[in-house]
Amino acid sequence: MRRPTIKDVAERAKVSLKTVSRVINNEPSVMQGTRARVLHAIAELDYEPDQSARNLRSGTPFVIGLVYDNPNAYHIIGVQNGVLAACRETGFGLQIHPCDSTSPLLAEELAEFVQRSRLAGLVMTAPMSERMDLVNALAARGVKLVRIIAATEDPQDGHACVYVDDHDAAYEITEHLIQLGHQRIGFLWGGLAHRSSVERYNGYEKALKDYGITVDKHLVVPGDYTFDDGFRGARRLLALREPPTAIFGSNDEIAAGVLAAAKSAGMNVPYDLSIAGFEDSPFSKQSWPPLTTAKQATQDIAKQAARLLIAGLRSDAYDDTSTPVHNQGFVPQLVVRGSTAPVRLRSDRNDPHHE
Amino acid sequence: MRRPTIKDVAERAKVSLKTVSRVINNEPSVMQGTRARVLHAIAELDYEPDQSARNLRSGTPFVIGLVYDNPNAYHIIGVQNGVLAACRETGFGLQIHPCDSTSPLLAEELAEFVQRSRLAGLVMTAPMSERMDLVNALAARGVKLVRIIAATEDPQDGHACVYVDDHDAAYEITEHLIQLGHQRIGFLWGGLAHRSSVERYNGYEKALKDYGITVDKHLVVPGDYTFDDGFRGARRLLALREPPTAIFGSNDEIAAGVLAAAKSAGMNVPYDLSIAGFEDSPFSKQSWPPLTTAKQATQDIAKQAARLLIAGLRSDAYDDTSTPVHNQGFVPQLVVRGSTAPVRLRSDRNDPHHE
């Protein structure tokens, strides 16, 4: 037997689809006689509203979810505020869901989150957004989502996304350091699970190559997007026989860790060491000296992602023909502040840590 | 005519309350014949489920809201994570709602947020949680809420709360500075709308009095809980003819601003100036030197608040007799780090900014 649809109910009760929808969702504006007819029709047909569709058709509040696994408070707040701005425009609510990106059961967890909270869709941030196995698993379960990813161009893989070109901004930062005369430029990686980290490294490497500087693997240190890894990585680099004269931390947290390490070693930044970060977190202006970085419009990026999701959800709120939504790219911009300066020759230095 | 209740439906359909609830919420586990009986009974009685009760009885997800107006990313993330921990224990979802605490229409806005998103209740942070007009207006509209407030004791005002005794911790910080020999201790206020700010000032003033030190009003500067106000306030204090030898910023953001101001003036912290903050934000360990502060268990405080709310919600999920829930107090603890040191006599100094 064919499963009855909302249309069957409407026909049997001799009312519009909208009226059936109102009755299902217990909206007040239905006359008693009409409501009774619809309820009887539902009972007779044994019609069961489709759960996922109900979210959008019904009085059930429109809610989207935001999924993240990021240690940086400022970054998360920026993303949240961007998504909230788009929610406010459209009357959507926002549920937040920090998660562990390394969990083997993440697809199940997120699908359960969507179902339990009856979410209309998800905004996914890196690194979850960049794991195609996860994205495909969620899409296969009918989860509508939009991804915020690092990429130099639109991946056109059938999933809505907002992409941020970290490569070119990382290239610019490295070029800025080279133009200040730095040849030994340390690089501190963020988490390898983040595509942004790879893109930032690639930009760094490309700039060095373009300027004829050989990449010295001793100057490249693995780590995560954290202050602590910046601190540790910098200590390691500064302890080298030939330490770098500049360090590019692949986000501002890392760069702040480098700054603390330099200060704890009695170094005068930027004269003894130039430091650059990435993202333009609020605290990159608050450190002393303030950090040279790449301005990433985190809030705008997240807002655009949520708008994309909501536009997609609205286009198929009443049917399944989804209208095309446009992916959008963002390019962070170099911001030069006090933490970078022209290189000093080693012979100029009187810092005992470098002798 | 008496409005029909869920009991009337259950009696007429000869099923349990739970079964009626399942049918109302389109849960799958109801046999077709039973479901039809319930739907016919609903239609005949013109029963309409109560919206607010439905949240808790129904398959509609249990969701609470978190309301905040705080400029500090670390603080907000701590509060969010605490509330989320309690939500995870109980299967609740969390919607976040940053707001403008000075909005004249805040009561309407929050009531609308609760209604639109069908929230079971709200966790309210300061300063909203400390405005009794707002709390009472929301309670009068049937909004269940728990408040996180600054208070030396349980206010026992009939509203659930978690209270943080900032007074004693501020006293301890001031005492710590006095015991290091400081007599001229600057104080930078947080926002006056925050009760915590008043309590922290009171603790500062009490300690000075107990140690026979006159409060010099030139050393007390108004401001908000922000880095920028810390920076500005410190510049003002350091420009005095008789500048302070220590500054107590009433949160860590303010203290970080003081640190930046001191460094930008070429001062050596803690030798030229001792600095203390409040809250023990992650970055208070990351600055150089790390900040003396009062450790506030933000995450635990928020978790306890959410637990209190959820316990209260559960107790009246099926009736209106609310079981007593226990308010709980927290006391921040002094943490001494590198930003405070024994006072140096002015004659010992060679800092041109102070001559």
Side-chain angles (χ1 to χ4, degrees):
Chain A
M1 197 181 81
R2 186 177 70 88
R3 214 179 132 181
T5 67
I6 192 168
K7 275 190 191 167
D8 299 324
V9 175
E11 278 168 20
R12 189 176 191 110
K14 297 189 172 48
V15 297
S16 68
L17 290 177
K18 192 151 192 130
T19 301
V20 177
S21 167
R22 283 197 181 119
V23 171
I24 291 169
N25 297 298
N26 296 308
E27 286 175 35
S29 54
V30 184
M31 303 253 292
Q32 182 177 346
T34 311
R35 185 160 174 272
R37 266 210 326 277
V38 172
L39 285 167
H40 286 304
I42 288 173
E44 284 151 16
L45 291 168
D46 192 34
Y47 166 71
E48 289 187 30
D50 178 58
Q51 285 294 346
S52 67
R54 205 176 59 159
N55 288 328
L56 283 163
R57 291 174 197 169
S58 76
T60 303
F62 294 5
V63 184
I64 61 174
L66 171 63
V67 174
Y68 52 85
D69 178 20
N70 191 304
N72 302 321
Y74 283 110
H75 185 78
I76 296 173
I77 290 290
V79 171
Q80 287 179 353
N81 288 344
V83 172
L84 279 165
C87 286
R88 265 195 219 100
E89 291 172 346
T90 50
F92 274 70
L94 176 65
Q95 282 202 30
I96 55 173
H97 191 82
C99 65
D100 174 2
S101 61
T102 64
S103 163
L105 294 172
L106 195 54
E108 287 71 22
E109 177 189 326
L110 296 180
E112 210 265 328
F113 169 52
V114 169
Q115 191 176 28
R116 176 169 40 79
S117 301
R118 307 222 181 129
L119 303 179
L122 290 184
V123 175
M124 291 178 71
T125 59
M128 287 75 68
S129 57
E130 294 168 339
R131 279 180 46 194
M132 288 314 290
D133 59 329
L134 182 63
V135 170
N136 288 327
L138 289 171
R141 287 163 200 242
V143 174
K144 316 272 166 136
L145 54 88
V146 68
R147 303 179 300 139
I148 300 174
I149 61 173
T152 50
E153 54 183 23
D154 186 345
Q156 300 188 308
D157 54 13
H159 301 288
C161 75
V162 170
Y163 56 100
V164 183
D165 180 4
D166 287 340
H167 179 279
D168 288 5
Y171 184 100
E172 272 191 78
I173 286 176
T174 313
E175 186 173 46
H176 161 69
L177 292 169
I178 294 168
Q179 288 172 347
L180 289 170
H182 297 279
Q183 297 271 323
R184 292 189 65 70
I185 302 170
F187 182 87
L188 301 184
W189 278 82
L192 273 175
H194 290 256
R195 183 75 206 166
S196 58
S197 204
V198 180
E199 295 291 347
R200 291 171 195 179
Y201 177 77
N202 288 345
Y204 159 81
E205 192 184 63
K206 177 83 164 44
L208 291 183
K209 283 187 177 157
D210 284 358
Y211 281 86
I213 301 170
T214 311
V215 176
D216 179 347
K217 69 179 195 308
H218 298 103
L219 294 183
V220 177
V221 181
D224 212 337
Y225 277 137
T226 64
F227 176 92
D228 286 349
D229 277 359
F231 192 89
R232 274 193 288 267
R235 298 274 279 212
R236 189 165 137 186
L237 289 176
L238 297 174
L240 290 174
R241 259 186 77 84
E242 278 194 273
T245 60
I247 296 179
F248 176 10
S250 52
N251 77 353
D252 289 337
E253 308 269 339
I254 292 175
V258 175
L259 187 59
K263 283 182 185 167
S264 71
M267 298 178 83
N268 185 353
V269 176
Y271 306 107
D272 298 334
L273 182 73
S274 281
I275 300 172
F278 203 103
E279 282 182 20
D280 196 27
S281 276
F283 66 82
S284 66
K285 290 189 266 300
Q286 299 178 355
S287 64
W288 191 263
L291 294 171
T292 291
T293 187
K295 185 176 171 59
Q296 194 180 59
T298 303
Q299 196 161 328
D300 291 343
I301 291 165
K303 184 177 177 182
Q304 180 58 23
R307 277 181 169 166
L308 206 58
L309 176 66
I310 292 169
L313 292 169
R314 288 181 153 185
S315 71
D316 62 7
Y318 286 88
D319 59 60
D320 285 320
T321 60
S322 52
T323 52
V325 281
H326 299 290
N327 294 342
Q328 189 178 335
F330 285 83
V331 183
Q333 300 295 322
L334 175 66
V335 181
V336 177
R337 299 205 185 95
S339 67
T340 50
V343 70
R344 281 204 291 177
L345 296 178
R346 283 193 86 197
S347 55
D348 295 346
R349 296 188 188 182
N350 50 10
D351 183 336
H353 295 270
H354 292 145
E355 298 308 311
Chain B
M1 198 181 79
R2 186 176 70 90
R3 220 180 128 180
T5 68
I6 192 168
K7 275 190 192 168
D8 299 327
V9 175
E11 277 167 20
R12 190 176 192 111
K14 298 188 172 49
V15 297
S16 69
L17 290 177
K18 193 152 191 128
T19 302
V20 178
S21 167
R22 285 197 181 118
V23 172
I24 291 170
N25 297 300
N26 296 308
E27 286 174 34
S29 55
V30 185
M31 303 252 293
Q32 183 177 346
T34 310
R35 185 160 176 274
R37 264 207 330 276
V38 172
L39 286 167
H40 285 303
I42 289 173
E44 284 151 17
L45 292 167
D46 193 35
Y47 166 72
E48 289 186 31
D50 179 57
Q51 286 294 344
S52 67
R54 203 176 62 160
N55 289 327
L56 284 164
R57 292 176 197 169
S58 75
T60 303
F62 294 6
V63 184
I64 60 174
L66 172 63
V67 173
Y68 52 85
D69 178 19
N70 190 303
N72 301 322
Y74 284 108
H75 184 77
I76 296 173
I77 290 291
V79 171
Q80 287 180 352
N81 287 344
V83 172
L84 279 165
C87 286
R88 266 195 219 101
E89 291 173 346
T90 49
F92 274 69
L94 176 65
Q95 282 203 31
I96 55 174
H97 190 83
C99 65
D100 175 0
S101 60
T102 63
S103 162
L105 294 173
L106 194 53
E108 288 70 23
E109 177 190 324
L110 296 181
E112 208 266 328
F113 168 52
V114 169
Q115 189 176 31
R116 175 169 40 80
S117 300
R118 304 216 184 135
L119 303 180
L122 290 184
V123 175
M124 290 178 72
T125 59
M128 287 75 68
S129 57
E130 295 168 337
R131 277 180 48 194
M132 289 315 290
D133 59 327
L134 181 62
V135 170
N136 288 327
L138 289 171
R141 286 163 201 242
V143 174
K144 316 271 168 141
L145 54 88
V146 67
R147 302 179 299 140
I148 300 174
I149 61 173
T152 51
E153 56 182 24
D154 186 344
Q156 299 189 306
D157 54 12
H159 300 290
C161 75
V162 169
Y163 56 100
V164 183
D165 179 4
D166 287 341
H167 179 279
D168 288 4
Y171 185 100
E172 272 191 76
I173 286 176
T174 313
E175 187 173 45
H176 162 71
L177 293 168
I178 295 168
Q179 287 172 349
L180 289 170
H182 296 280
Q183 296 272 325
R184 290 189 65 71
I185 302 170
F187 182 88
L188 301 183
W189 278 81
L192 273 176
H194 290 257
R195 183 73 207 168
S196 57
S197 202
V198 179
E199 295 291 347
R200 291 172 197 179
Y201 177 76
N202 289 345
Y204 158 81
E205 193 184 63
K206 178 81 164 46
L208 290 184
K209 283 187 178 160
D210 283 357
Y211 281 84
I213 301 170
T214 311
V215 176
D216 179 347
K217 68 182 199 303
H218 298 103
L219 294 183
V220 177
V221 182
D224 212 337
Y225 278 137
T226 64
F227 176 91
D228 286 348
D229 277 358
F231 192 88
R232 274 193 289 266
R235 300 273 279 211
R236 191 166 133 184
L237 289 176
L238 296 175
L240 290 175
R241 259 186 77 85
E242 278 193 273
T245 60
I247 297 178
F248 176 10
S250 52
N251 77 353
D252 289 338
E253 307 270 340
I254 293 175
V258 175
L259 187 59
K263 284 182 184 167
S264 72
M267 297 176 84
N268 186 354
V269 176
Y271 307 107
D272 298 334
L273 181 73
S274 282
I275 301 172
F278 202 104
E279 282 182 19
D280 195 28
S281 276
F283 67 81
S284 66
K285 291 189 264 302
Q286 299 177 355
S287 63
W288 191 262
L291 293 171
T292 291
T293 187
K295 184 173 173 62
Q296 195 180 59
T298 303
Q299 198 160 327
D300 292 343
I301 291 166
K303 184 176 176 183
Q304 179 58 22
R307 277 181 169 168
L308 205 58
L309 176 66
I310 291 169
L313 293 169
R314 288 182 153 182
S315 72
D316 61 8
Y318 286 88
D319 59 60
D320 285 319
T321 60
S322 50
T323 52
V325 282
H326 298 289
N327 295 341
Q328 189 179 333
F330 285 82
V331 182
Q333 301 296 321
L334 175 67
V335 181
V336 176
R337 299 205 185 94
S339 66
T340 50
V343 70
R344 282 205 290 177
L345 296 178
R346 282 194 85 195
S347 54
D348 296 345
R349 296 190 189 179
N350 52 9
D351 183 336
H353 293 269
H354 293 144
E355 299 308 309

